[in-house]
Amino acid sequence: MKSAIHLIISITLVTAVLAACQSPQTRRNIATADSLAEADPAAAINFIDSVSPAADGRRARMMMALLKAKAMNKLMQPIDSAKLKDIVDYFTDHGTANEKMLANYITACSYIDKDNAPMALQYFHEAVEQADTTDNDCDFKTLSRIYAQMSSLFQIQLSSANALEAGKKALKYAILTKDTANAISAYSQLADAYYFTNNFDTVIHICKKAADLYYKYGYKDYAAAKYGIPVFIMIERGEVQKAKPYMALYETNSGLYNQNTKTTLPGHEIYYYTKGMYHLQTDKPDSAEYFFRKEIKANDFNNKQAAAKGLYMLYKKAGIYDSAMKYAEIWNACIDSSYMKLSTTHLQRMQAMYNYSDKELETKQKTIIINRYEYLSVIFIFIIVIVIVLAFLIYLKRKKDFEHIKYLNQANNLNLILLKKKEAELQNLENDISADKKLIAAKTAEIKELQEKLSSMHGLYFNTDNQLFDSPIIERLHTLASHGGNATTAEKLSLIKLINSTLPKFVECLKINDNKLNENEIIICYLVKMQFMPSEIICLLDISSQRLTNIRKRLNNKIFGTEGGAKEFDYRIKHQTPME
């Protein structure tokens, strides 16, 4: 018996040693394949296909398969899921830290190609967990790329905080491995995350510094392209003279804009809006209209929204109120469409988080066979169905609420424009001594009717039982907004003083100091609590619709500690905070 055991042990050891041994030629082939996979992926694939049949041992063959998958991933070629699973399973049991990290990284990339973000993130996390950063031989270059991919994925998922954290790690490891190009790319990528947190000064600083680095290392086109976002921000701020030299660099060197045909490359049509706003602010309305109309043809809600906004501002500035109203409605409709699309996408992603992946399904089936717990799968599926049904019901309710708010905002905007038009007509009639008094009286009646309509609409949607809503400063701000006016510093301070003194529990729940709320954010919280509509807040604070939306989304995270949209923030402020 002992002899048999010794024989088995000996055979096992010999087999293991033989499997571990590789001929010098095989080792050279693996080294060559690894080098080519990084420098020339297409050549790497051809080389691996030619030498793989001669590889001795399973480890050598699996190593060749891993390097081929790496090269195919660089070329964005589809990789067979079953082969990838075999590679990951093998290196999970037999690979080094770097090999495990690479196998999981390639698998994550394959799920990105399948638009399966949850599984991609799972394998990205698996990859970084395998990395041994205490080892000098750690493949920091691949680790940097993993974090860069995670940052991009988080950005798509609208998780700016996670995108920023991953982006900083991508930069850290790119610098550590002295990978200049990837380090600059990772650094410039931080600008995207900062942009969606409204840190625009930081965005401009990062883009300028990244552009300087690209110029330094000879990437002239990349450098010029980095000025696109700063130019957009400067134009939005009205800093046209400051933006002008950067626009020239962008148009001349980036390769994204053709100065002869005045066209952008596909996917960069937002620059038409930048050009249009530049001409609008430099009193060239014809040129502004030309670029706005080029952009509105783009088959994209964001571009149509920007173009409609530009045309609305153009006609408003020109005093052509019918056209201004038309494009205001188009602008509003595009915002609504973008919101609906975003909501649908998030619902689909939430459902995807509960769907079985191939790997999870196989694991569950094995567990069921071994333990005979068939009823667990039924319960699990039942829970998934409940979650999806509840999510769908919530989605339908929010859609209904959103449609109601859309109707009120559109009607409110229309009546405001008509009110201003009638007031102008009345003023002209009053200045004309020979005007018919009966006509003046009729115009006065029309204005009164519109004012009553606005007042009745406000009463339909908002609760005005509380005497706080009838406070002089609240009425003053509603009146100011109805005429498109901006609130003064004194009026803002009066609002803050009123809310602080009358709603102490509401103010306390905001945790202003802990959440580091600035004055604008505090005022927005107070105005939303006082039932002011978004269109009124935009006028009072003199900010854009998009900026107000971004601030409300950020406040939702700051105050309530959860991701969500601007509409969710409004609902929580109005209904989930004390009215005292």
Side-chain angles (χ1 to χ4, degrees):
M1 185 67 180
K2 289 182 179 180
S3 298
I5 293 173
H6 290 156
L7 178 61
I8 293 171
I9 293 173
S10 299
I11 292 172
T12 303
L13 289 173
V14 170
T15 303
V17 170
L18 290 174
C21 291
Q22 294 175 354
S23 69
Q25 184 60 48
T26 296
R27 288 196 296 271
R28 284 195 295 271
N29 288 343
I30 291 175
T32 301
D34 192 16
S35 177
L36 286 172
E38 194 67 31
D40 190 347
I45 293 173
N46 292 332
F47 176 80
I48 291 169
D49 288 341
S50 66
V51 301
S52 288
D56 35 296
R58 187 185 179 197
R59 176 172 177 76
R61 291 192 295 274
M62 293 304 295
M63 195 66 210
M64 287 293 189
L66 176 62
L67 294 174
K68 182 177 180 180
K70 178 181 179 180
M72 293 175 69
N73 181 59
K74 281 183 171 291
L75 294 174
M76 298 184 181
Q77 294 181 1
I79 307 172
D80 183 75
S81 299
K83 289 182 179 178
L84 262 181
K85 184 180 182 302
D86 289 341
I87 292 171
V88 172
D89 289 345
Y90 176 83
F91 286 105
T92 296
D93 296 331
H94 306 288
T96 64
N98 285 340
E99 291 164 352
K100 293 176 183 178
M101 176 173 63
L102 179 59
N104 282 285
Y105 167 56
I106 295 170
T107 305
C109 291
S110 73
Y111 277 109
I112 289 180
D113 295 337
K114 298 174 184 177
D115 199 26
N116 190 336
M119 288 304 299
L121 278 175
Q122 176 181 320
Y123 277 96
F124 277 136
H125 284 299
E126 286 285 341
V128 297
E129 286 176 6
Q130 300 299 335
D132 183 5
T133 56
T134 62
D135 187 352
N136 291 332
D137 292 330
C138 178
D139 185 0
F140 291 110
K141 180 179 286 189
T142 297
L143 186 58
S144 172
R145 291 171 180 169
I146 293 171
Y147 278 117
Q149 291 264 32
M150 291 177 73
S151 179
S152 298
L153 195 55
F154 281 129
Q155 198 63 59
I156 295 171
Q157 300 288 327
L158 303 181
S159 180
S160 297
N162 288 328
L164 194 57
E165 181 181 355
K168 288 179 179 178
K169 289 181 179 179
L171 175 60
K172 171 185 174 182
Y173 292 118
I175 293 173
L176 189 62
T177 196
K178 297 180 180 179
D179 187 349
T180 304
N182 277 335
I184 300 173
S185 175
Y187 177 73
S188 64
Q189 191 176 357
L190 295 177
D192 296 334
Y194 278 116
Y195 181 87
F196 286 101
T197 57
N198 295 321
N199 292 307
F200 300 126
D201 290 333
T202 303
V203 172
I204 293 174
H205 173 75
I206 289 174
C207 289
K208 286 183 177 179
K209 188 172 181 180
D212 290 341
L213 291 170
Y214 276 131
Y215 272 123
K216 179 179 178 180
Y217 291 97
Y219 300 100
K220 189 177 180 181
D221 51 347
Y222 287 177
K226 291 312 298 179
Y227 290 127
I229 296 177
V231 166
F232 179 89
I233 294 171
M234 292 174 190
I235 294 295
E236 284 290 276
R237 289 175 170 177
E239 301 169 346
V240 291
Q241 294 305 317
K242 189 176 179 180
K244 187 175 181 179
Y246 297 110
M247 290 179 71
L249 287 170
Y250 179 89
E251 294 176 12
T252 305
N253 299 327
S254 70
L256 303 176
Y257 181 80
N258 188 317
Q259 291 178 303
N260 295 325
T261 61
K262 295 182 180 180
T263 56
T264 69
L265 289 183
H268 299 273
E269 292 85 353
I270 192 65
Y271 190 67
Y272 293 141
Y273 170 80
T274 302
K275 289 281 287 184
M277 290 301 295
Y278 172 82
H279 288 303
L280 182 60
Q281 293 179 35
T282 53
D283 296 322
K284 296 177 182 177
D286 291 340
S287 297
E289 183 176 10
Y290 170 79
F291 284 102
F292 290 146
R293 293 202 178 279
K294 282 180 73 71
E295 185 175 25
I296 206 167
K297 295 177 183 178
N299 188 24
D300 176 85
F301 283 124
N302 291 326
N303 283 303
K304 289 183 182 296
Q305 173 187 332
K309 175 186 175 183
L311 289 167
Y312 161 75
M313 296 177 72
L314 173 70
Y315 288 118
K316 181 182 178 183
K317 185 175 182 179
I320 306 174
Y321 293 109
D322 289 344
S323 296
M325 182 175 66
K326 170 187 174 182
Y327 287 102
E329 292 175 352
I330 295 174
W331 179 17
N332 211 4
C334 288
I335 293 173
D336 296 342
S337 298
S338 296
Y339 179 82
M340 292 299 294
K341 182 179 180 182
L342 184 63
S343 299
T344 302
T345 301
H346 276 296
L347 180 62
Q348 292 170 344
R349 286 172 180 161
M350 186 178 72
Q351 291 173 344
M353 291 295 288
Y354 291 95
N355 288 335
Y356 283 114
S357 67
D358 296 338
K359 179 179 178 181
E360 290 171 326
L361 182 59
E362 181 180 350
T363 303
K364 288 290 182 183
Q365 288 174 338
K366 288 181 180 178
T367 303
I368 291 170
I369 293 172
I370 294 172
N371 299 302
R372 299 183 182 277
Y373 288 156
E374 292 86 356
Y375 68 93
L376 288 178
S377 62
V378 176
I379 294 174
F380 189 74
I381 293 171
F382 182 68
I383 291 172
I384 292 174
V385 172
I386 291 176
V387 170
I388 294 173
V389 170
L390 288 176
F392 186 69
L393 291 175
I394 292 170
Y395 166 76
L396 289 178
K397 184 179 184 303
R398 289 184 179 175
K399 180 181 177 183
K400 182 179 179 181
D401 293 340
F402 184 81
E403 289 295 325
H404 185 52
I405 292 172
K406 170 187 171 184
Y407 165 76
L408 290 173
N409 280 333
Q410 287 177 339
N412 183 64
N413 290 335
L414 175 61
N415 288 326
L416 281 172
I417 292 172
L418 290 174
L419 176 59
K420 290 179 180 179
K421 184 177 179 182
K422 298 301 180 182
E423 286 177 337
E425 292 174 357
L426 176 59
Q427 185 63 44
N428 290 335
L429 288 171
E430 287 175 345
N431 291 336
D432 187 353
I433 299 174
S434 61
D436 188 345
K437 291 183 178 180
K438 290 184 178 180
L439 183 57
I440 293 175
K443 294 297 180 182
T444 303
E446 289 178 2
I447 290 173
K448 183 177 179 181
E449 181 182 355
L450 283 169
Q451 289 174 331
E452 290 176 351
K453 185 179 292 186
L454 283 170
S455 176
S456 64
M457 285 178 59
H458 194 267
L460 282 172
Y461 186 65
F462 302 119
N463 177 17
T464 58
D465 294 335
N466 195 318
Q467 292 181 356
L468 180 59
F469 291 98
D470 297 325
S471 300
I473 184 59
I474 300 299
E475 292 184 351
R476 166 63 182 158
L477 291 175
H478 278 302
T479 302
L480 194 60
S482 70
H483 289 83
N486 306 140
T488 65
T489 301
E491 288 164 341
K492 293 177 184 176
L493 291 176
S494 296
L495 173 67
I496 292 174
K497 184 177 179 181
L498 173 68
I499 301 303
N500 288 347
S501 62
T502 57
L503 302 178
K505 290 186 179 180
F506 166 68
V507 174
E508 182 181 354
C509 83
L510 295 181
K511 298 181 179 178
I512 293 172
N513 293 330
D514 292 344
N515 293 323
K516 299 179 180 179
L517 303 185
N518 59 41
E519 183 180 273
N520 244 21
E521 292 174 331
I522 293 170
I523 291 172
I524 289 171
C525 289
Y526 288 1
L527 289 173
V528 172
K529 187 66 174 176
M530 290 296 96
Q531 311 291 2
F532 280 78
M533 291 182 287
S535 58
E536 293 179 292
I537 299 175
I538 289 169
C539 291
L540 292 173
L541 300 185
D542 193 21
I543 59 178
S544 67
S545 174
Q546 184 58 53
R547 186 179 176 196
L548 177 61
T549 299
N550 291 340
I551 292 173
R552 286 151 65 209
K553 288 165 62 179
R554 183 172 71 247
L555 284 171
N556 192 50
N557 197 349
K558 275 188 176 183
I559 296 171
F560 301 103
T562 180
E563 295 289 339
K567 303 301 177 183
E568 294 180 16
F569 166 76
D570 291 352
Y571 179 86
R572 291 186 173 112
I573 283 290
K574 292 174 184 175
H575 303 289
Q576 296 181 5
T577 56
M579 188 61 190
E580 57 181 329

